[in-house]
């Protein structure tokens, strides 16, 4: 699998757009989402190319200025709708503001606290 920084990914995708077919689709996988508590800290962990775990970012749940509601804590799930654990036993979690969450996700019929993307997105191969 190729590893890119965000800037390298942008450059790669922009170059591909000239010749790639754009596909519109709706993701069907779920994520676990729970509205956080203001001040709650969430550490997003990743694993580098050498297999070492590192802190990608640290976030704190805050009130969304648009809705005055706390942000949501999302946890990556597998196809079984259970949290995915990395080789160090940690989940992949991150915070999304309340307004962004409500515009991007809808409750899933697959169970409590499960949400799926609500909008059609654009993809390239």
């Amino acid at each position: 699998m190729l590893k890119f920084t965000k800037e390298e990914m942008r450059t790669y995708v922009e170059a591909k757009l000239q010749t790639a077919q754009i596909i519109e689709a709706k993701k069907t996988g779920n994520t676990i989402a729970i509205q956080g508590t203001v001040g709650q800290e969430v550490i997003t962990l990743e694993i580098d190319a050498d297999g070492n775990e590192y802190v990608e970012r640290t976030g704190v749940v805050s009130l969304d200025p648009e809705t005055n509601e706390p942000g949501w804590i999302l946890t990556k799930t597998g196809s079984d709708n259970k949290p995915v654990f990395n080789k160090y036993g940690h989940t992949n979690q991150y915070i999304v503001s309340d307004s962004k969450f409500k515009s991007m996700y809808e409750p899933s019929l697959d169970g409590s606290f499960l949400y799926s993307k609500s909008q059609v997105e654009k993809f390239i191969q």
Side-chain angles (χ1 to χ4, degrees):
M1 183 169 102
L2 300 175
K3 295 274 186 173
F4 292 109
T5 65
K6 289 182 182 181
E7 188 54 41
E8 289 170 337
M9 179 59 76
R10 178 183 307 280
T11 301
Y12 177 81
V13 170
E14 286 174 351
K16 285 280 190 185
L17 284 174
Q18 298 172 22
T19 59
Q21 177 183 356
I22 297 173
I23 300 165
E24 292 188 355
K26 183 178 172 185
K27 290 183 180 180
T28 58
N30 293 316
T31 189
I32 297 170
I34 299 173
Q35 197 161 27
T37 303
V38 173
Q40 185 175 357
E41 184 178 68
V42 174
I43 299 171
T44 304
L45 301 166
E46 285 292 336
I47 296 180
D48 66 20
D50 296 324
N52 300 309
E53 188 175 53
Y54 68 95
V55 175
E56 180 184 40
R57 66 181 174 261
T58 301
V60 177
V61 175
S62 61
L63 289 179
D64 185 320
E66 292 181 36
T67 65
N68 206 34
E69 293 289 329
W72 290 75
I73 300 171
L74 279 59
T75 304
K76 182 178 178 180
T77 62
S79 58
D80 60 359
N81 292 322
K82 294 184 179 162
V84 172
F85 293 90
N86 69 18
K87 69 180 187 178
Y88 298 99
H90 299 123
T91 58
N92 183 312
Q93 294 185 310
Y94 52 98
I95 300 170
V96 174
S97 70
D98 183 60
S99 57
K100 185 173 182 180
F101 177 78
K102 288 177 178 173
S103 72
M104 292 178 60
Y105 291 90
E106 62 190 3
S108 171
L109 299 177
D110 295 329
S112 299
F113 306 109
L114 292 173
Y115 292 81
S116 59
K117 293 280 183 114
S118 61
Q119 299 175 347
V120 172
E121 297 178 271
K122 294 181 180 182
F123 299 87
I124 62 170
Q125 187 169 8

